[in-house]
Amino acid sequence: MNSLATALTPDGLIEIYRVMRTIREFEDRVHVEFTGRDIPGAVHLYAGQEAVAAGVCSVLSDDDYIASTHRGHGHAVAKGCDVTGMMLELYGKAGGLCGGKGGSMHIADFDRGMLGANGVAAGGVPLAAGAALSAKVRGTDQVSVAFVGDGGANQGAFAESLTLAAVWQLPVVFVVEDNGFAQATGTRFHLAGKRVALRGEAVGIPSQVVDGYDVFAVRDAAVEAVERARSGDGPTLLECKADRFYGHMEGWDQQAYRLTSEIDELRSARDCLVLFTERVLAEGSVTADELAGVDATVRARVAAAVEEARSAKDPDISELLTDVYVSY
Ligand SMILES: Cc1ncc(C[n+]2csc(CCOP(=O)(O)OP(=O)(O)O)c2C)c(N)n1
Ligand SMILES: [Mg+2]
């Protein structure tokens, strides 16, 4: 039983729902907008996996770090990045979170501890481990989270990061999001060993498989992992299983590798928002009206972000060579 998560206050439950709903609405709108080809660059949607980002980030503070993946919108929203700034960034407009120069795969917001989405599979994992090392050396109680896909977990950088995190007992949580595929390649073809969690166990890192559709299960696992990291007891690996609703990448993927009926079943039986709603209404923790209110607010907020992004200015030509190097 998810005792810790169940202990959430009604406000806490509403907040988790708001985060998941914002991610879903953001992704559904981007899917539509991308079809009109208003959005440049490559876009990978996170819909279906919302409970992972929302559950994990619900136990982090602004000072904690996350490093994300190419499928990073959900992580950014859950860590508190501004939705309008994100939308402007996707559209490549001035006023975007990174000045419109990064786009979907490079959203970062250091004020929120969001170290960045990453076009390199598993590229964020050593960054998160490095941020954890930095926190340890500086003697803060900050925790760092590395999000990585099942495919990315095959990268050497993932194995190296696990080893160093274990040896140095770093305050890092590795969150492996197993959505069943690396592009078009199913885990049954690319996953060596039965579970990625075994790779954590192999180097002495407490590791567990978590139902990634159940935000309560994710949150409970994250509470324990973050507490372990914050109290100096080292890393944890959470292997969260949740499939994506859309194709690998917008405008590109015909999804010949899975049946339409499988996608229909995923959307109808394993939608984290529906599962959350059924549970909290059955428990009487919040009302249907409260959730409908969140839906309406989120819809309006994302619609306003799209409108603003459509009419925003491109970055000025004078900005072309700025932000190339960081001054410390
Ligand atoms: C180092 C590297 N190799 C290959 C790619 C091309 N690529 C982009 S996404 C992807 C699959 C990633 O799969 P996974 O880590 O499971 O993430 P998912 O797309 O399922 O969220 C690959 C191989 C890349 N971005 N980086
Ligand atoms: Mg994957």
Side-chain angles (χ1 to χ4, degrees):
M1 193 59 204
N2 306 308
S3 54
L4 291 165
T6 318
L8 275 166
T9 62
D11 283 351
L13 289 167
I14 290 285
E15 177 57 17
I16 282 194
Y17 180 79
R18 188 190 64 74
V19 169
M20 292 198 294
R21 177 58 73 197
T22 303
I23 299 170
R24 177 69 54 84
E25 184 67 18
F26 190 93
E27 300 297 60
D28 284 348
R29 274 307 299 263
V30 168
H31 178 69
V32 172
E33 297 305 311
F34 192 91
T35 310
R37 282 288 177 185
D38 279 349
I39 297 175
V43 169
H44 307 78
L45 299 179
Y46 190 73
Q49 301 176 217
E50 293 90 346
V52 180
V56 170
C57 292
S58 73
V59 299
L60 300 178
S61 71
D62 277 358
D63 286 344
D64 292 326
Y65 300 111
I66 65 167
S68 174
T69 67
H70 55 285
R71 200 176 298 289
H73 307 164
H75 307 136
V77 168
K79 196 65 174 62
C81 294
D82 176 57
V83 165
T84 303
M86 287 178 59
M87 196 64 83
L88 264 73
E89 191 58 40
L90 260 70
Y91 274 78
K93 298 297 182 72
L97 273 182
C98 303
K101 300 175 185 180
S104 164
M105 270 197 290
H106 304 95
I107 290 178
D109 185 352
F110 292 173
D111 291 340
R112 297 281 165 190
M114 167 52 168
L115 299 178
N118 208 308
V120 178
V125 181
L127 291 182
L133 175 61
S134 152
K136 183 162 180 156
V137 169
R138 286 180 289 117
T140 74
D141 71 347
Q142 290 163 293
V143 171
S144 188
V145 173
F147 289 100
V148 62
D150 48 279
N154 291 328
Q155 284 281 83
F158 178 73
E160 293 162 12
S161 300
L162 289 188
T163 300
L164 285 178
V167 168
W168 290 336
Q169 287 291 282
L170 300 181
V172 58
V173 182
F174 299 99
V175 178
V176 181
E177 297 190 67
D178 178 0
N179 60 9
F181 295 94
Q183 294 194 327
T185 308
T187 44
R188 73 191 174 95
F189 296 107
H190 78 71
L191 184 69
K194 285 196 171 61
R195 295 184 281 118
V196 180
L198 293 172
R199 301 177 195 174
E201 286 171 20
V203 291
I205 294 178
S207 306
Q208 73 178 97
V209 178
V210 182
D211 178 353
Y213 302 108
D214 179 354
V215 72
F216 298 104
V218 174
R219 188 180 144 87
D220 275 356
V223 164
E224 200 180 312
V226 169
E227 172 57 27
R228 176 177 296 124
R230 223 183 278 294
S231 57
D233 291 331
T236 303
L237 188 155
L238 305 178
E239 180 182 349
C240 302
K241 298 176 97 67
D243 291 1
R244 53 173 156 74
F245 278 10
Y246 291 106
H248 170 70
M249 192 171 97
E250 287 306 279
W252 173 81
D253 185 3
Q254 301 303 314
Q255 301 193 66
Y257 49 83
R258 61 178 175 176
L259 300 170
T260 308
S261 59
E262 289 173 329
I263 303 171
D264 293 344
E265 198 269 338
L266 171 65
R267 284 178 174 269
S268 62
R270 284 175 286 156
D271 180 330
C272 59
L273 281 150
V274 173
L275 296 172
F276 175 96
T277 301
E278 285 173 356
R279 175 162 169 183
V280 293
L281 292 185
E283 289 178 356
S285 324
V286 296
T287 66
D289 280 353
E290 286 174 304
L291 297 182
V294 173
D295 293 349
T297 308
V298 165
R299 204 172 304 124
R301 189 162 163 237
V302 173
V306 170
E307 285 313 310
E308 194 171 328
R310 277 184 184 149
S311 58
K313 289 198 176 81
D314 289 333
D316 193 81
I317 193 77
S318 65
E319 298 282 312
L320 192 61
L321 297 178
T322 61
D323 302 324
V324 177
Y325 298 103
V326 175
S327 307
Y328 293 100

